[in-house]
Amino acid sequence: MKTSLSYGHYYDYDELKAALEGFARQYPGLCTLESNCVTEKGREQFVMTLTNKDAGDALSKPGWYLDGNIHAGEVTASMVALHFIDTLLTGYAGDEQIRRLLDRFTVYVIPRVSPDGAEVYLHSPAHLRSADRADHPKAGGLFPTDLDGDGVIRSMRVPSPYGAWKKDPDDPSRLCLRSPSDTEGDFFDLYAEGLWEDGDTDEDNLQPKKPDWSLDFNRNFPFGWYPAPRQPGAGDYPLSNPECKALADFVIAHPNIGGASIGHTSGGLLLYPPGTMPSAKAAPQDLKVLREIAAMGQEELGYVPLNIFDSFLSDQENYDSGAFDDWCYQCRGIPAYTVEYWDLPGKAGVPFPWGSKEPESTAQQLQRFEACRAWVRENAPQYNLDWIPWEHPQLGPVEIGGLQSKFTLQNPPEAFLEAESFEDAIRNAISLGGDSDTIGAITGAVAWAYYGRDGIQPDMRSMLDEIRLPEDLQTVVDDFAEYCAGHAGTGR
């Protein structure tokens, strides 16, 4: 796919705004940039309308909607949306499929639903759900804080004779569960890096503080809305957040929207409604269509399609609701998919068992985390910190370490933004045009070396396994490999 921007880092508000305004100036016949709302901090929630204006008015054509970053930390989704805009505009002149798309249809893109929250996420150590606005704050407890000043809130292991954790004897950088027979040795409690707001560090009071910034924009939509405490973060009333009301108003004002893709991270999933009742109670024809469209998405992306209520929710009695996808589908009749980009556990070889009704053991969860940590240490070591000693102002000697979770667990490391798999790399290389067979061959060799055989999608791997070199050429390759192995480290 031809694009004109660089995607080697996450764009903050000013960069995103400049990129969108640049496209609007460069392609006035294909796109219109508007402000959908202005946030409490004075930032704009931009919407880009893409269509060939000479081929008809935007509202006169069937429309499709894409957004991202309704959750502050899910900045991958805004980069996906920007990349999509870039692909359509940059490729219009030379790509017949893109040209047909924008001649016949209208595409609406809101790259960053929560610009205030994303700006805090990108420019501070803080984690937050949607926006930096207080939501029924409650004093007391552990407040996550960057104690060592490295710009990251990691984990903190605190020595305690009652601790549930001990150092792995084979790798002291790892923790393993203490068993009932472990009565001697060093044991630890595990917390987020931070301070106790009320200063009370008695063993019985070491509880996490309720986040001040706990608003969840994706629980603020009218369908299935519940107030706190039934639905934490839902806001004082439906559409109480201006960013959410702006989305609903936009969809209502554009009745030509016939499909929606709502960008989140993470999981590598294609989630489809309903999310407020079992799929068995939904309209059968609707479910048939939703599943068939999701299957097409799986073929393109490799992401797993799941019904939200049946397979994604962990609690089907007190389920999460008030979500944008359910409102689009249940109130506006729009097939709306939540796309969970990025899947670190899958990359690490220990995917999450989505859809399973059996609860995982702590040992299984720990195995997955350690696999993820091993992947990060190999592929993005700058985001891992082995434990370092620190003098905590309230607790005394502790250790700080672990992953920078923002750009490992929640979002991909920057190097993986454009291609997160072997197939992605090949597709991107070939779509550049030019000497595509040579570019594809070189990319394939490099991607194979990087991802390894097990990192290739099973269907593509089976095709590659059927490819065999001619016998005489295979002999040359084997002889060369044997020579290299025999002379490794000899300087010859």
Side-chain angles (χ1 to χ4, degrees), residues 121 265-267 341-345 368-369 372-373 376 403-413:
Y121 185 87
T265 65
S266 59
Y341 307 114
W342 183 240
D343 177 22
L344 178 56
R368 179 175 299 106
F369 175 79
C372 290
R373 194 173 73 98
V376 172
L403 299 181
Q404 201 271 41
S405 61
K406 287 185 176 183
F407 304 115
T408 55
L409 295 169
Q410 190 170 22
N411 298 282

CSV table of all heavy atoms in Angstrom, one decimal, residues 121 265-267 341-345 368-369 372-373 376 403-413:
chain,number,residue,atom,x,y,z
A,121,TYR,N,-1.7,10.2,27.7
A,121,TYR,CA,-1.1,8.9,27.6
A,121,TYR,C,0.3,9.0,26.9
A,121,TYR,O,1.2,8.3,27.3
A,121,TYR,CB,-2.0,8.0,26.8
A,121,TYR,CG,-1.6,6.6,26.6
A,121,TYR,CD1,-1.9,5.6,27.6
A,121,TYR,CD2,-0.9,6.1,25.5
A,121,TYR,CE1,-1.6,4.3,27.5
A,121,TYR,CE2,-0.5,4.8,25.4
A,121,TYR,CZ,-0.9,3.9,26.3
A,121,TYR,OH,-0.5,2.6,26.2
A,265,THR,N,-7.6,-1.6,21.0
A,265,THR,CA,-6.5,-2.6,21.3
A,265,THR,C,-6.7,-3.2,22.7
A,265,THR,O,-7.2,-2.5,23.5
A,265,THR,CB,-5.1,-2.0,21.2
A,265,THR,OG1,-5.0,-1.1,22.3
A,265,THR,CG2,-4.8,-1.2,19.9
A,266,SER,N,-6.4,-4.4,22.9
A,266,SER,CA,-5.6,-5.4,22.0
A,266,SER,C,-6.3,-6.7,22.0
A,266,SER,O,-7.4,-6.9,22.7
A,266,SER,CB,-4.2,-5.5,22.5
A,266,SER,OG,-4.2,-6.0,23.8
A,267,GLY,N,-5.8,-7.7,21.3
A,267,GLY,CA,-6.4,-9.0,21.4
A,267,GLY,C,-6.3,-9.7,20.0
A,267,GLY,O,-6.5,-11.0,20.0
A,341,TYR,N,-7.0,-4.4,17.6
A,341,TYR,CA,-5.7,-4.6,16.9
A,341,TYR,C,-4.6,-5.0,17.9
A,341,TYR,O,-4.7,-4.8,19.1
A,341,TYR,CB,-5.2,-3.2,16.4
A,341,TYR,CG,-6.2,-2.5,15.5
A,341,TYR,CD1,-6.8,-1.3,15.9
A,341,TYR,CD2,-6.6,-3.1,14.3
A,341,TYR,CE1,-7.7,-0.7,15.0
A,341,TYR,CE2,-7.5,-2.4,13.4
A,341,TYR,CZ,-8.0,-1.2,13.8
A,341,TYR,OH,-9.0,-0.6,13.0
A,342,TRP,N,-3.6,-5.7,17.4
A,342,TRP,CA,-2.4,-6.1,18.1
A,342,TRP,C,-2.7,-7.2,19.1
A,342,TRP,O,-3.7,-7.2,19.9
A,342,TRP,CB,-1.8,-5.0,18.9
A,342,TRP,CG,-0.5,-5.3,19.6
A,342,TRP,CD1,-0.3,-5.1,21.0
A,342,TRP,CD2,0.7,-5.8,19.1
A,342,TRP,NE1,1.0,-5.6,21.3
A,342,TRP,CE2,1.6,-6.0,20.1
A,342,TRP,CE3,1.1,-6.2,17.8
A,342,TRP,CZ2,2.9,-6.5,20.0
A,342,TRP,CZ3,2.4,-6.7,17.6
A,342,TRP,CH2,3.3,-6.8,18.7
A,343,ASP,N,-1.8,-8.2,19.2
A,343,ASP,CA,-2.0,-9.4,20.0
A,343,ASP,C,-0.7,-9.9,20.5
A,343,ASP,O,-0.1,-10.8,19.9
A,343,ASP,CB,-2.8,-10.5,19.3
A,343,ASP,CG,-3.0,-11.8,20.1
A,343,ASP,OD1,-2.9,-11.7,21.3
A,343,ASP,OD2,-3.2,-12.8,19.4
A,344,LEU,N,-0.1,-9.3,21.6
A,344,LEU,CA,1.2,-9.8,22.0
A,344,LEU,C,1.2,-11.2,22.5
A,344,LEU,O,2.1,-12.0,22.2
A,344,LEU,CB,1.7,-8.8,23.1
A,344,LEU,CG,3.0,-9.2,23.8
A,344,LEU,CD1,4.1,-9.3,22.7
A,344,LEU,CD2,3.4,-8.2,24.8
A,345,PRO,N,0.2,-11.7,23.3
A,345,PRO,CA,0.2,-13.1,23.7
A,345,PRO,C,0.3,-14.1,22.5
A,345,PRO,O,1.0,-15.1,22.5
A,345,PRO,CB,-1.0,-13.3,24.5
A,345,PRO,CG,-1.3,-11.9,25.1
A,345,PRO,CD,-0.9,-11.0,24.0
A,368,ARG,N,1.7,-17.1,30.5
A,368,ARG,CA,1.5,-16.2,29.3
A,368,ARG,C,2.3,-14.9,29.5
A,368,ARG,O,2.9,-14.4,28.6
A,368,ARG,CB,0.0,-15.9,29.2
A,368,ARG,CG,-0.3,-14.9,28.1
A,368,ARG,CD,-1.8,-14.7,27.9
A,368,ARG,NE,-2.4,-16.0,27.5
A,368,ARG,CZ,-3.2,-16.7,28.3
A,368,ARG,NH1,-3.4,-16.2,29.6
A,368,ARG,NH2,-3.7,-17.8,27.9
A,369,PHE,N,2.3,-14.4,30.8
A,369,PHE,CA,3.0,-13.1,31.0
A,369,PHE,C,4.5,-13.3,30.7
A,369,PHE,O,5.1,-12.4,30.1
A,369,PHE,CB,2.7,-12.6,32.4
A,369,PHE,CG,3.5,-11.4,32.7
A,369,PHE,CD1,3.1,-10.2,32.3
A,369,PHE,CD2,4.7,-11.5,33.5
A,369,PHE,CE1,3.9,-9.0,32.6
A,369,PHE,CE2,5.5,-10.4,33.8
A,369,PHE,CZ,5.1,-9.1,33.3
A,372,CYS,N,5.2,-13.3,27.1
A,372,CYS,CA,5.2,-12.0,26.6
A,372,CYS,C,6.5,-11.2,27.0
A,372,CYS,O,7.0,-10.5,26.1
A,372,CYS,CB,4.0,-11.2,27.1
A,372,CYS,SG,2.4,-11.8,26.5
A,373,ARG,N,6.9,-11.4,28.2
A,373,ARG,CA,8.1,-10.7,28.6
A,373,ARG,C,9.3,-11.2,27.8
A,373,ARG,O,10.2,-10.4,27.4
A,373,ARG,CB,8.3,-10.9,30.1
A,373,ARG,CG,9.4,-9.9,30.7
A,373,ARG,CD,9.4,-10.1,32.2
A,373,ARG,NE,10.0,-11.3,32.6
A,373,ARG,CZ,11.3,-11.4,33.0
A,373,ARG,NH1,12.1,-10.3,33.0
A,373,ARG,NH2,11.8,-12.6,33.4
A,376,VAL,N,9.2,-9.5,24.4
A,376,VAL,CA,9.7,-8.1,24.5
A,376,VAL,C,11.2,-8.0,24.7
A,376,VAL,O,11.8,-7.2,24.0
A,376,VAL,CB,8.9,-7.4,25.6
A,376,VAL,CG1,9.5,-6.0,25.9
A,376,VAL,CG2,7.4,-7.3,25.4
A,403,LEU,N,7.9,-4.6,32.5
A,403,LEU,CA,7.6,-4.1,31.1
A,403,LEU,C,7.1,-2.7,31.2
A,403,LEU,O,6.4,-2.2,32.1
A,403,LEU,CB,6.6,-5.0,30.4
A,403,LEU,CG,6.9,-6.4,30.2
A,403,LEU,CD1,5.8,-7.1,29.5
A,403,LEU,CD2,8.2,-6.6,29.4
A,404,GLN,N,7.4,-1.9,30.1
A,404,GLN,CA,6.7,-0.7,29.8
A,404,GLN,C,5.5,-1.2,29.0
A,404,GLN,O,5.6,-1.5,27.8
A,404,GLN,CB,7.6,0.2,28.9
A,404,GLN,CG,7.2,1.7,28.9
A,404,GLN,CD,6.2,2.0,27.8
A,404,GLN,OE1,5.3,1.3,27.6
A,404,GLN,NE2,6.4,3.2,27.2
A,405,SER,N,4.4,-1.3,29.7
A,405,SER,CA,3.2,-2.0,29.1
A,405,SER,C,2.5,-1.2,28.0
A,405,SER,O,1.8,-1.8,27.2
A,405,SER,CB,2.2,-2.3,30.2
A,405,SER,OG,1.7,-1.1,30.8
A,406,LYS,N,2.7,0.1,27.9
A,406,LYS,CA,2.0,0.9,26.9
A,406,LYS,C,2.3,0.5,25.5
A,406,LYS,O,1.4,0.4,24.7
A,406,LYS,CB,2.4,2.4,27.1
A,406,LYS,CG,1.8,3.1,28.3
A,406,LYS,CD,2.2,4.6,28.2
A,406,LYS,CE,1.5,5.4,29.4
A,406,LYS,NZ,1.8,6.8,29.3
A,407,PHE,N,3.6,0.2,25.2
A,407,PHE,CA,4.0,-0.1,23.8
A,407,PHE,C,4.5,-1.5,23.7
A,407,PHE,O,5.4,-1.8,22.9
A,407,PHE,CB,5.0,0.9,23.3
A,407,PHE,CG,4.4,2.3,23.4
A,407,PHE,CD1,5.0,3.3,24.3
A,407,PHE,CD2,3.3,2.7,22.7
A,407,PHE,CE1,4.5,4.5,24.4
A,407,PHE,CE2,2.7,4.0,22.8
A,407,PHE,CZ,3.4,4.9,23.7
A,408,THR,N,3.9,-2.4,24.5
A,408,THR,CA,4.2,-3.8,24.4
A,408,THR,C,2.9,-4.6,24.6
A,408,THR,O,2.4,-5.3,23.6
A,408,THR,CB,5.2,-4.3,25.5
A,408,THR,OG1,4.7,-3.9,26.8
A,408,THR,CG2,6.6,-3.7,25.3
A,409,LEU,N,2.2,-4.5,25.7
A,409,LEU,CA,1.0,-5.2,26.0
A,409,LEU,C,-0.2,-4.5,25.3
A,409,LEU,O,-1.0,-5.2,24.7
A,409,LEU,CB,0.8,-5.4,27.5
A,409,LEU,CG,1.8,-6.2,28.2
A,409,LEU,CD1,1.6,-6.1,29.7
A,409,LEU,CD2,1.6,-7.7,27.8
A,410,GLN,N,-0.3,-3.2,25.5
A,410,GLN,CA,-1.5,-2.5,25.0
A,410,GLN,C,-1.4,-2.1,23.5
A,410,GLN,O,-2.4,-2.2,22.8
A,410,GLN,CB,-1.8,-1.3,25.8
A,410,GLN,CG,-3.1,-0.6,25.5
A,410,GLN,CD,-3.5,0.5,26.5
A,410,GLN,OE1,-2.7,1.0,27.2
A,410,GLN,NE2,-4.8,0.7,26.6
A,411,ASN,N,-0.2,-1.7,23.1
A,411,ASN,CA,0.1,-1.3,21.7
A,411,ASN,C,1.4,-1.9,21.3
A,411,ASN,O,2.2,-2.3,22.1
A,411,ASN,CB,0.2,0.2,21.6
A,411,ASN,CG,-1.0,1.0,22.0
A,411,ASN,OD1,-2.0,1.1,21.3
A,411,ASN,ND2,-1.0,1.5,23.2
A,412,PRO,N,1.5,-2.1,20.0
A,412,PRO,CA,2.8,-2.7,19.5
A,412,PRO,C,4.0,-1.8,19.7
A,412,PRO,O,3.8,-0.5,19.6
A,412,PRO,CB,2.5,-3.0,18.0
A,412,PRO,CG,1.4,-2.1,17.6
A,412,PRO,CD,0.6,-1.9,18.9
A,413,PRO,N,5.2,-2.3,19.8
A,413,PRO,CA,6.3,-1.5,19.7
A,413,PRO,C,6.3,-0.8,18.4
A,413,PRO,O,5.8,-1.3,17.4
A,413,PRO,CB,7.5,-2.5,19.8
A,413,PRO,CG,7.0,-3.6,20.5
A,413,PRO,CD,5.5,-3.7,20.1
